[in-house]
Amino acid sequence: MKEVRQPSKKPLIYYYAIMLLVVFVLNALVFPNFNQRAITETDYGTFMTMIDEKNIGLVDIQSNQIVFTDKAQQKIFKTGIMNDPTLTERLHDSGAIFSSEIIDEASPILSFLLSWLFPILLFVILGQLLSKRMSKMMGGGGMAFGLGDSGAKVYVPSSTGIKFDDVAGEDEAKDLLTEIVDFLHAPEKYREIGAKLPKGALLVGPPGTGKTLLAKAVAGEANVPFFSISGSEFVEMFVGRGAAKVRDLFKQANEKAPCIVFIDEIDTIGKKREGNFGGNDEREQTLNQLLTEMDGFDGSKGVVVLAATNRPESLDPALLRPGRFDRRIPVELPDLQGRIDILKVHAKKIKLEPNIDFEPIAKTAAGASGAELANIVNEAALRAVRDGRKAASQNDLMESVEVVIAGYQKKSRVLSDQEKKLVAYHETGHALVAALQTNSAPVQKITIIPRTSGALGFTLQVDEGDHFIMSKEELLNKIATFTGGRAAEELVFGTSTTGASNDIEQATKLARMMVTQLGMTKEFGMVSFESQTNQYLGGGGYMTCSPETQARLDKKVMDIIEEQHEKALALLKDNIELLHTLSKYLYDHETITGEEFMDILNSHKQ
Ligand code: ADP
Ligand code: MG
Ligand code: ZN
């Protein structure tokens, strides 16, 4: 994925810096030499001969030297002073002109003009010409300088540009974008028939799912220039600059059509305008300019504006009106097959041992984004290098999943013996409750090595295939599993610790969802009491019921969790020997794989 990317302002700055340096060097080294070479030092004898031959033009007798020129005033000479009383007379007779301005032929001001101002001016003019030339050539697809006023970057796809093949697991998005590619390829085809393609499309999805990559791939597939700007770049700008930048961006784009204009993180400028606080003037101006530009340009010319956001709900509705970003392209987290495909795309970039099976890796990395999967592959390669091996192995990949998803292992942070024991029981508690309930996912691996992410233990649960629909029983089992950690602590140590705070949060979230959104309780039935405001950031829901109902809902949530907590306690009590054995194993080895876990579990059952 090689692409030429040149911010427009930089080349000019470099150019001027180099220019100043050149002028400086010239002044320091070359110009003084000129002056010195112009003055030839001669002996007094030659001077006298020249007087006799009447070959003196100008002459200046100074206190320590005599400076003079030949008759034609072509050359300047100098010679020392001698005790020569008749000199002035003889010079006069020879027709020499007495002048005190032979060397200082250029006054200080003039010499400054000549040696500094003039060269600088020359360079500036040259620079202007060059930059005009370059921006013209850009259209030809050769150069990549945008020396306009805006900071919009110009991407010119080279032959190795990003293609749809580089984006895995986003077939739906690719399908939707194919039409745009076709349009950019042959805008005439659409113009002739009178079809109007959307001017703008909005790529919507969580971070790291390949939105930027897809936008680049559209440009790569269509082989058109790619102008990109990020919404966040506007935020730090001086007042008025944002709008100007947008104007420049679209001006450039119009000149280079067909092309793609990509606005990343559009939510930073396209946020809903809130009336009460007077808003952010700069952002509003920028947004207004963007709206104006989108309405103004001729869509049939082949300028397509793509924008990306992970917070579609926060966008100003004006942006989504017809003729603007009226097409929405979802870019979701990859499913199992998608994850396998993404791993394979990135695996091509590193050396791998033969016969790698990507499926278990993709399974373990449930919920990972494309960016995280790319990171996992890279991390595997790093591991191999660290160990001095030539290719990454299956195990490297497997270990990398944990590193990327749970943060680096931090062996330096040592747990006290008691802490370690407690964490071992806590994590085994989760896993055992999960395994004992038939519907819960089996455990892939547990480890009690602290990680930088802050989580002490870490239980990886592998979903068997990706399923989005869960039954009420599965949800309840999940809640029981969340409480299993605390339950084990209580059973064995008779205390509760802070280690379960995240579990409690998760369990509460689930239980709450069951009651207020999923209609999974008899009492409240199929009524939604909560609306989700932010799908991607998991932002808060807001309640749509009376305070009395809310109190009853809260009570129900507590009941559900308490019930599952009791269930977990009972399960662990019934299998207390198993809990001890598994926890001891985990304590001793610091990690236990799903296989080892199930072996111990099954041998106990016999
Ligand atoms: P977003 O813009 O959605 O936050 P990016 O496009 O910036 O995500 O993705 C960052 C990196 O993650 C990409 O450069 C690529 O290496 C990898 N990546 C993300 N999604 C995918 C995908 N679907 N297929 C292949 N690689 C991906
Ligand atoms: Mg991005
Ligand atoms: Zn826990």
Side-chain angles (χ1 to χ4, degrees):
M1 46 174 276
K2 240 197 184 150
E3 63 180 72
V4 197
R5 183 189 156 159
Q6 295 271 6
S8 66
K9 287 234 155 138
K10 286 238 171 83
L12 264 188
I13 288 171
Y14 290 142
Y15 177 81
Y16 285 125
I18 290 171
M19 176 201 90
L20 268 174
L21 200 78
V22 168
V23 174
F24 190 80
V25 168
L26 279 177
N27 271 295
L29 300 175
V30 184
F31 292 163
N33 279 341
F34 269 148
N35 290 339
Q36 260 153 41
R37 223 175 296 141
I39 301 175
T40 316
E41 207 163 342
T42 53
D43 56 300
Y44 205 78
T46 313
F47 176 49
M48 295 220 292
T49 314
M50 284 173 76
I51 296 174
D52 291 347
E53 288 169 353
K54 299 196 186 317
N55 191 19
I56 302 286
L58 304 170
V59 68
D60 177 19
I61 301 169
Q62 299 170 356
S63 58
N64 58 342
Q65 63 177 5
I66 301 167
V67 185
F68 59 100
T69 73
D70 57 350
K71 197 78 193 170
Q73 296 187 20
Q74 295 283 325
K75 277 183 169 171
I76 307 171
F77 302 90
K78 74 175 179 192
T79 188
I81 292 280
M82 286 277 182
N83 190 7
D84 190 347
T86 60
L87 177 63
T88 319
E89 203 172 310
R90 275 185 293 137
L91 270 171
H92 184 73
D93 290 347
S94 78
I97 301 158
F98 290 92
S99 161
S100 61
E101 283 192 290
I102 299 175
I103 298 183
D104 293 335
E105 69 277 52
S107 67
I109 293 173
L110 200 71
S111 93
F112 169 78
L113 284 179
L114 274 177
S115 58
W116 285 98
L117 218 61
F118 182 66
I120 287 176
L121 264 171
L122 198 81
F123 272 111
V124 169
I125 291 168
L126 237 134
Q128 291 295 322
L129 280 177
L130 256 168
S131 74
K132 278 227 177 83
R133 250 284 169 67
M134 280 172 178
S135 47
K136 256 190 208 136
M137 275 158 73
M138 209 167 52
M143 300 293 294
F145 290 89
L147 295 168
D149 234 345
S150 89
K153 290 143 198 160
V154 181
Y155 292 78
V156 180
S158 58
S159 52
T160 48
I162 294 169
K163 293 284 164 69
F164 276 156
D165 279 349
D166 297 311
V167 192
E170 295 294 346
D171 294 337
E172 196 193 344
K174 279 195 256 182
D175 272 353
L176 289 167
L177 289 167
T178 306
E179 199 182 12
I180 292 179
V181 172
D182 192 49
F183 170 63
L184 289 168
H185 253 307
E188 326 78 60
K189 198 170 78 185
Y190 289 78
R191 223 177 292 150
E192 271 162 26
I193 207 167
K196 269 210 188 94
L197 245 101
K199 287 178 180 177
L202 191 62
L203 300 161
V204 177
T209 45
K211 297 182 292 297
T212 308
L213 196 64
L214 271 165
K216 286 183 186 170
V218 171
E221 288 282 338
N223 199 26
V224 297
F226 183 68
F227 293 84
S228 136
I229 201 156
S230 174
S232 56
E233 284 173 43
F234 288 109
V235 176
E236 318 106 40
M237 275 193 322
F238 299 115
V239 174
R241 291 285 297 130
K245 212 166 179 177
V246 169
R247 209 177 312 118
D248 278 353
L249 174 67
F250 277 85
K251 200 170 140 242
Q252 274 191 56
N254 259 315
E255 284 163 12
K256 302 293 167 309
C259 68
I260 297 266
V261 173
F262 179 57
I263 305 171
D264 212 348
E265 301 172 55
I266 195 171
D267 40 285
T268 41
I269 43 169
K271 250 182 284 179
K272 279 196 191 89
R273 287 171 276 202
E274 63 280 287
N276 41 355
F277 267 102
N280 175 341
D281 259 8
E282 172 58 9
R283 200 173 51 71
E284 210 151 292
Q285 270 183 29
T286 309
L287 175 58
N288 283 336
Q289 188 64 39
L290 179 62
L291 295 175
T292 312
E293 294 292 345
M294 287 208 68
D295 293 342
F297 77 80
D298 178 8
S300 64
K301 251 181 106 179
V303 179
V304 172
V305 188
L306 296 177
T309 181
N310 50 16
R311 314 163 58 178
E313 70 294 326
S314 74
L315 285 182
D316 195 300
L319 274 171
L320 308 174
R321 270 188 218 130
R324 293 169 182 167
F325 295 100
D326 46 5
R327 194 170 281 199
R328 182 186 276 239
I329 297 170
V331 187
E332 301 292 352
L333 285 173
D335 59 12
L336 179 63
Q337 190 55 48
R339 292 200 300 273
I340 294 174
D341 293 342
I342 294 173
L343 283 170
K344 282 182 180 164
V345 164
H346 290 281
K348 281 191 202 134
K349 299 172 191 164
I350 68 164
K351 276 216 180 72
L352 278 173
E353 285 176 3
N355 306 325
I356 296 284
D357 185 2
F358 289 101
E359 189 168 330
I361 297 147
K363 270 190 173 167
T364 316
S369 69
E372 281 163 336
L373 291 164
N375 212 346
I376 285 167
V377 172
N378 187 55
E379 190 60 41
L382 289 178
R383 283 184 78 89
V385 174
R386 245 177 262 140
D387 289 4
R389 282 176 283 117
K390 290 262 179 272
S393 67
Q394 180 90 26
N395 189 47
D396 287 328
L397 283 165
M398 212 58 179
E399 298 278 334
S400 301
V401 175
E402 283 177 55
V403 174
V404 170
I405 292 188
Y408 282 92
Q409 294 191 349
K410 218 168 147 195
K411 294 198 181 188
S412 53
R413 224 193 96 191
V414 213
L415 288 179
S416 78
D417 207 45
Q418 178 69 8
E419 277 176 322
K420 202 171 142 185
K421 208 175 262 171
L422 203 124
V423 173
Y425 270 98
H426 178 104
E427 295 306 324
T428 307
H430 284 306
L432 192 52
V433 170
L436 291 170
Q437 302 171 115
T438 44
N439 286 337
S440 285
V443 173
Q444 178 79 20
K445 185 174 179 179
I446 311 172
T447 164
I448 53 170
I449 298 165
R451 283 149 209 269
T452 44
S453 66
L456 281 177
F458 185 64
T459 308
L460 285 172
Q461 286 185 306
V462 179
D463 282 333
E464 299 281 276
D466 284 1
H467 52 280
F468 292 106
I469 300 178
M470 289 181 83
S471 69
K472 179 179 171 182
E473 286 66 39
E474 282 172 312
L475 285 173
L476 289 175
N477 285 345
K478 243 187 145 146
I479 296 174
T481 300
F482 280 129
T483 63
R486 168 65 66 85
E489 287 178 41
E490 288 168 333
L491 267 184
V492 179
F493 301 93
T495 56
S496 4
T497 67
T498 54
S501 66
N502 184 49
D503 303 334
I504 293 170
E505 195 185 316
Q506 300 265 22
T508 312
K509 225 184 233 169
L510 264 186
R512 189 162 196 89
M513 210 163 81
M514 290 177 73
V515 180
T516 63
Q517 287 176 48
L518 303 173
M520 282 182 173
T521 53
K522 279 210 185 73
E523 279 160 86
F524 297 103
M526 284 176 58
V527 176
S528 168
F529 294 99
E530 200 170 8
S531 297
Q532 213 63 29
T533 51
N534 187 328
Q535 190 188 348
Y536 288 117
L537 297 182
Y542 53 90
M543 301 304 294
T544 51
C545 62
S546 68
E548 296 78 41
T549 314
Q550 198 168 333
R552 276 172 56 220
L553 289 172
D554 288 342
K555 173 83 172 58
K556 184 69 199 170
V557 170
M558 286 194 297
D559 287 350
I560 290 179
I561 295 175
E562 195 39 49
E563 212 171 287
Q564 294 312 310
H565 184 196
E566 291 299 330
K567 181 167 108 189
L569 274 171
L571 276 170
L572 292 178
K573 217 179 228 166
D574 288 350
N575 295 276
I576 192 80
E577 280 310 312
L578 199 49
L579 178 65
H580 286 315
T581 314
L582 286 164
S583 303
K584 170 123 184 30
Y585 187 97
L586 180 56
Y587 172 84
D588 288 339
H589 295 80
E590 293 194 335
T591 48
I592 183 169
T593 66
E595 229 167 275
E596 291 160 343
F597 189 93
M598 291 319 277
D599 281 351
I600 296 175
L601 191 134
N602 288 329
S603 68
H604 258 257
K605 276 185 183 159
Q606 285 151 17

